[in-house]
Amino acid sequence: MIGSREQRLSPAIELVKAPTAETKQLLAELDEALSGPYSADQRHAFSVDRLFQPDVRFFQARVDGVAVACGGIAFLDGYGELKRMYSRPAVRGRGVAKALLHRLETEAREAGLSLLRIETGVYQEEALRFYEGAGYKHCAPFGPYAELPPRAIETS
């Protein structure tokens, strides 16, 4: 017997050039999930407006026409940073985030970047397992995070 979490999905991944109601809803769900374990000074997310600037590409994944996941890549000096990655709980473990991550990694390669980074909190255990499973390694604070006070990054 195969449970629904094991059933793989084939999402359609689309570039989002401006915030939509669906995009804003996904980001609101992510913000809600992060507001519990992290204080405001420990959340370093790009605003909706910042996600739709020329140096960021933002995508969402659809399953059966419904937006179920999102994520972006910011093109920074010598590396890319994954931004605002989120999958609704109902599609977790079913290949949606993996397909989205693959698209973001492809965007980075096509832009000539060989290094991707992500800032993720210590309480996002499922996300940490996902990124580690995809080959990402823990690292010291980087870029703007390296300049923040210790309290602001103690959960990063």
Side-chain angles (χ1 to χ4, degrees):
M1 174 185 260
I2 297 177
S4 62
R5 276 190 71 79
E6 289 84 26
Q7 183 181 19
R8 292 308 215 204
L9 300 172
S10 296
I13 309 291
E14 62 188 17
L15 178 66
V16 182
K17 294 189 176 194
T20 66
E22 288 175 307
T23 303
K24 290 177 183 178
Q25 180 59 41
L26 287 168
L27 294 171
E29 291 171 23
L30 173 57
D31 289 342
E32 177 66 25
L34 297 176
S35 69
Y38 304 102
S39 62
D41 67 325
Q42 294 173 331
R43 295 190 306 262
H44 312 294
F46 274 10
S47 68
V48 172
D49 290 338
R50 179 65 181 95
L51 289 172
F52 295 96
Q53 297 302 309
D55 63 336
V56 179
R57 290 192 196 124
F58 196 76
F59 296 84
Q60 63 188 19
R62 291 182 178 280
V63 173
D64 296 328
V66 177
V68 295
C70 63
I73 181 171
F75 295 93
L76 304 169
D77 189 25
Y79 67 96
E81 183 181 353
L82 300 176
K83 304 301 288 183
R84 307 290 274 164
M85 291 282 294
Y86 175 73
S87 296
R88 287 189 167 141
V91 300
R92 291 181 188 164
R94 299 176 69 189
V96 174
K98 190 177 211 177
L100 184 58
L101 180 61
H102 177 73
R103 176 63 184 269
L104 295 168
E105 290 171 338
T106 298
E107 291 290 317
R109 275 191 300 279
E110 289 176 355
L113 297 175
S114 60
L115 177 62
L116 277 180
R117 294 178 167 152
I118 184 167
E119 185 278 330
T120 299
V122 296
Y123 302 118
Q124 303 313 109
E125 294 173 7
E126 194 174 12
L128 291 169
R129 283 191 305 275
F130 169 74
Y131 293 118
E132 288 169 358
Y136 288 76
K137 307 286 183 215
H138 288 266
C139 67
F142 59 89
Y145 310 109
E147 298 172 17
L148 292 172
R151 163 89 175 117
I153 57 170
E154 70 185 1
T155 59
S156 291

